[in-house]
Amino acid sequence: MSATWLPPEQYAETLMKATAFACLFFTDEDDRPVQLRAVYSQAHPWQWPGGTMDPGERPWDTAVRECREETGMVVEGPTRLLAAVYGLPGAEWPYSTVGFVFDGGRLSADRIAGIVLDPAEHDAVRALSPKEWRAHMPERDFARLRAVLEARRTGVTAYFDAWDWDD
């Protein structure tokens, strides 16, 4: 331990930097995960409604806001955290990533059909079985999907710390 104390603003500059995101995980009535295809990410083509937290915003509020922006759906809760996600920085992004995956519940076929995608972000929505999703996702993304499905099944929040920017 250092004998010299730094003022808070100087100490803060020595700390690791991170960005945070929050998203909502939905399934259809047959418990098949619902995901959106991103137009901007070939590395992570299938995603859940969500995004980066704005300054002063709390994780649940981010997930709800992003879901409304990306799908047109309004979600009110209850708030149930399924997973905490962590990734180390890498060549593509200079900061660590911290994420919160909330349970958005089950969607009826009508509600899924009523999703209005923001074409600047997503161009398709699908509900597939985990086995079917495996063919469409990189291994790391699929491992995260499995962890979130297990968390929903067991009621035990998942900790997924393999979301690094470099493989």
Side-chain angles (χ1 to χ4, degrees):
M1 180 147 178
S2 172
T4 304
W5 288 92
L6 295 173
E9 60 278 355
Q10 287 180 358
Y11 177 67
E13 289 302 316
T14 70
L15 299 176
M16 175 186 77
K17 305 299 184 263
T19 56
F21 72 88
C23 59
L24 286 163
F25 175 77
F26 296 100
T27 58
D28 68 4
E29 293 176 315
D30 295 319
D31 288 327
R32 298 180 307 171
V34 175
Q35 297 194 82
L36 312 177
R37 186 172 56 205
V39 298
Y40 54 82
S41 178
Q42 291 184 12
H44 305 286
W46 291 96
Q47 304 175 356
W48 305 315
T52 304
M53 291 172 55
D54 288 342
E57 193 172 45
R58 296 181 189 280
W60 172 253
D61 297 331
T62 297
V64 169
R65 174 184 55 78
E66 287 281 350
C67 182
R68 184 181 62 253
E69 291 173 1
E70 294 177 359
T71 69
M73 291 191 302
V74 175
V75 177
E76 295 179 2
T79 304
R80 179 176 172 220
L81 182 65
L82 291 176
V85 178
Y86 179 79
L88 293 170
E92 291 183 52
W93 188 247
Y95 301 117
S96 291
T97 303
V98 177
F100 304 87
V101 181
F102 294 100
D103 194 343
R106 289 177 175 82
L107 301 175
S108 68
D110 287 343
R111 193 134 187 230
I112 294 170
I115 289 174
V116 177
L117 298 175
D118 175 353
E121 294 196 51
H122 302 98
D123 66 359
V125 58
R126 289 190 190 161
L128 301 174
S129 71
K131 183 178 179 180
E132 292 170 312
W133 275 123
R134 178 62 198 103
H136 298 282
M137 301 174 75
E139 180 56 40
R140 182 175 49 166
D141 293 14
F142 187 67
R144 183 179 70 155
L145 173 63
R146 283 193 321 259
V148 169
L149 282 167
E150 181 70 4
R152 185 192 258 181
R153 186 185 69 77
T154 64
V156 177
T157 303
Y159 173 64
F160 189 78
D161 68 351
W163 200 247
D164 301 348
W165 282 90
D166 292 337
D167 291 327

